[in-house]
Amino acid sequence: MQLTKKSLPERLNHIYDAIVVGGGAGGLSAGIYLQRFRLSSLIIDKGKARSFWMQELHNYLGLPPDTPGRVLLQQGKQHYTSLNGDMLNGYVEEVVDEGDRFAVRVKVGRKNSIYPVFRSKYLIAASGIIDNLPPLEDMQNVFDYAGYNLHVCMVCDGYEMTDKQCGFIAGSEASIEEMVFNLSWFTPYITVFTHGLFAVSDSMRSQLHNHGYRLVETPIKKFLGENHQMTGVELVDGSIIPLETGLISMGSRYHNTYLQGFNLDVKGSNLITDKMGRTSHPRIFAIGDLKVGLNQVVVAAGDGALAATQIWRDIRRESGSRRWEE
Ligand code: FAD
Ligand code: FAD
């Protein structure tokens, strides 16, 4: 059930089999499998998932390619709660390992916040990441287009950019190096924007020049367009550059602060797991964008199935098989 400030106290003495941090694509999938394994689970979600921001899920088998992420989440939540899974809107602040269980401290409510502590045997970290966006004076102007034709994920939306005039908004020279030449698989009509945030080396300048890609170092004042369709940018010097699409590549923030005390193995900022999603801590699993792998809904959903299945195996083995009792 959906827990509220009022109803949650009755769960404070319960030890869940698993608490899932994050109710995006990965967390909801894990929750559905956990409940179907007849385990008890709680999903804690602060909302605004990457999957929520996704306006169209283009590449998920079985769903029409214009399915909004919020529809997937709605459906997933309904499915999970119909299996009697517990769901709580809140922000996980801290997790403490108490030996054979975790104590999970949550901030609930923006106003008059309360800080309940829930307990579980296993933890699934499904809290994802969030993309950095170009810092403009009016951030609403960025939100008007980001996730529509101003994309953040080349694997998801490269196809949408095919042979279009594309603005590539980079966060560093490394992101140009890593992404621009791959982006050219979809479109060669690339203008690279640094937004005046970093210097570009001479060798990168000449590489871009040799490929015919333009480089704009003057900061962006605002994106132009209407109805969430970006048609270009205006720079701070007043000049206008027409575009048909864009790709933002400025890195991401990882939602992992509650794991800080654990010293888990990482590659860059991504958690390293085995093929079932187990991290270097035997009772902590990580799924979706937070772990090493491809940041895709279908992968996050698959990860959820694997992690839940492994947790079931662990718990089932420990408790042994049931007897037929009269
Ligand atoms: P998320 O879906 O981001 O869910 C994580 C949840 O955890 C969030 O609700 C977050 O608020 C919550 N959380 C974080 N920290 C805490 C905390 N401390 N306490 C409680 N809750 C917390 N993928 C595709 O496959 N196809 C596409 O077409 C596609 N298009 C995309 C378009 C856009 C604009 C974006 C941004 C992404 C797109 N993606 C696409 C990628 C896809 O959205 C992600 O790969 C997927 O959502 C990852 O799922 P997740 O469960 O790991 O994380
Ligand atoms: P398949 O879906 O089996 O596709 C393989 C295809 O390759 C078949 O069409 C086959 O004919 C074809 N093929 C084989 N050899 C050749 C050849 N030499 N040349 C050309 N074609 C070939 N999974 C769930 O997640 N949830 C469920 O609730 C669930 N319920 C299930 C219920 C039943 C009755 C069954 C049988 C399975 C269920 N599964 C469920 C499992 C799920 O169906 C499989 O995991 C999934 O279909 C595997 O996908 P696949 O693409 O590997 O194989």
Side-chain angles (χ1 to χ4, degrees):
M1 69 182 222
Q2 178 74 43
L3 301 183
T4 60
K5 271 187 188 170
K6 222 176 182 176
S7 63
L8 70 81
E10 47 187 277
R11 295 295 202 271
L12 296 178
N13 293 322
H14 176 67
I15 297 173
Y16 287 99
D17 289 311
I19 288 179
V20 183
V21 186
L28 287 167
S29 170
I32 289 165
Y33 274 81
L34 288 166
Q35 288 302 123
R36 287 182 59 88
F37 288 133
R38 306 179 69 222
L39 298 172
S40 74
S41 70
L42 166 65
I43 298 179
I44 304 167
D45 186 43
K46 80 173 174 66
K48 302 214 171 119
R50 269 190 110 213
S51 10
F52 182 79
W53 182 22
M54 180 173 63
Q55 305 303 332
E56 288 180 347
L57 173 55
H58 294 299
N59 46 15
Y60 196 97
L61 178 73
L63 292 180
D66 59 352
T67 305
R70 57 185 182 281
V71 168
L72 184 93
L73 295 180
Q74 234 168 31
Q75 171 75 30
K77 254 184 207 173
Q78 263 170 24
H79 189 169
Y80 174 68
T81 48
S82 76
L83 294 163
N84 294 323
D86 281 350
M87 185 101 213
L88 175 68
N89 298 335
Y91 177 76
V92 172
E93 290 201 328
E94 191 189 26
V95 176
V96 175
D97 190 353
E98 295 182 334
D100 57 354
R101 67 190 65 166
F102 294 109
V104 178
R105 197 169 88 112
V106 189
K107 178 179 176 181
V108 181
R110 284 230 180 105
K111 283 190 213 147
N112 305 321
S113 308
I114 57 169
Y115 297 85
V117 176
F118 296 89
R119 288 191 161 74
S120 67
K121 296 177 192 159
Y122 286 81
L123 188 81
I124 300 183
S127 40
I129 62 174
I130 203 75
D131 310 76
N132 295 329
L133 297 175
L136 301 193
E137 212 167 279
D138 174 16
M139 281 312 287
Q140 188 52 46
N141 173 253
V142 186
F143 301 142
D144 281 346
Y145 304 106
Y148 292 89
N149 69 335
L150 180 54
H151 302 290
V152 294
C153 167
M154 184 161 62
V155 172
C156 314
D157 297 309
Y159 184 82
E160 260 59 44
M161 298 186 253
T162 301
D163 287 339
K164 289 196 173 148
Q165 289 271 358
C166 181
F168 177 85
I169 301 161
S172 62
E173 177 153 329
S175 81
I176 304 180
E177 177 97 51
E178 224 179 274
M179 303 280 289
V180 165
F181 304 101
N182 300 337
L183 176 60
S184 73
W185 176 264
F186 295 104
T187 180
Y189 310 119
I190 300 172
T191 304
V192 176
F193 294 86
T194 67
H195 194 48
L197 291 175
F198 59 94
V200 179
S201 68
D202 289 341
S203 71
M204 178 55 73
R205 276 174 203 283
S206 65
Q207 273 189 73
L208 292 174
H209 180 77
N210 291 341
H211 283 77
Y213 308 156
R214 290 186 293 178
L215 176 64
V216 175
E217 295 174 273
T218 310
I220 295 166
K221 180 161 181 238
K222 62 177 182 186
F223 292 95
L224 305 171
E226 54 184 356
N227 291 333
H228 303 297
Q229 292 304 302
M230 190 264 301
T231 54
V233 294
E234 183 182 329
L235 304 179
V236 291
D237 64 10
S239 52
I240 286 174
I241 300 179
L243 297 168
E244 295 169 298
T245 187
L247 179 65
I248 298 172
S249 178
M250 305 187 74
S252 336
R253 200 154 46 79
Y254 285 71
H255 294 143
N256 58 7
T257 45
Y258 60 95
L259 291 172
Q260 258 163 14
F262 287 97
N263 244 329
L264 300 174
D265 291 350
V266 288
K267 183 176 174 202
S269 302
N270 290 102
L271 289 163
I272 295 176
T273 69
D274 68 12
K275 69 179 193 320
M276 299 304 281
R278 201 192 301 266
T279 66
S280 50
H281 185 300
R283 289 181 296 114
I284 301 180
F285 287 71
I287 64 177
D289 290 357
L290 207 51
K291 65 165 227 320
V292 175
L294 192 64
N295 293 350
Q296 291 288 286
V297 174
V298 72
V299 174
D303 286 346
L306 293 172
T309 304
Q310 188 57 48
I311 289 172
W312 175 49
R313 283 178 186 157
D314 285 9
I315 290 178
R316 192 188 68 205
R317 278 176 194 153
E318 203 178 305
S319 63
S321 43
R322 290 203 290 165
R323 284 173 185 284
W324 182 334
E325 281 172 272
E326 297 294 327

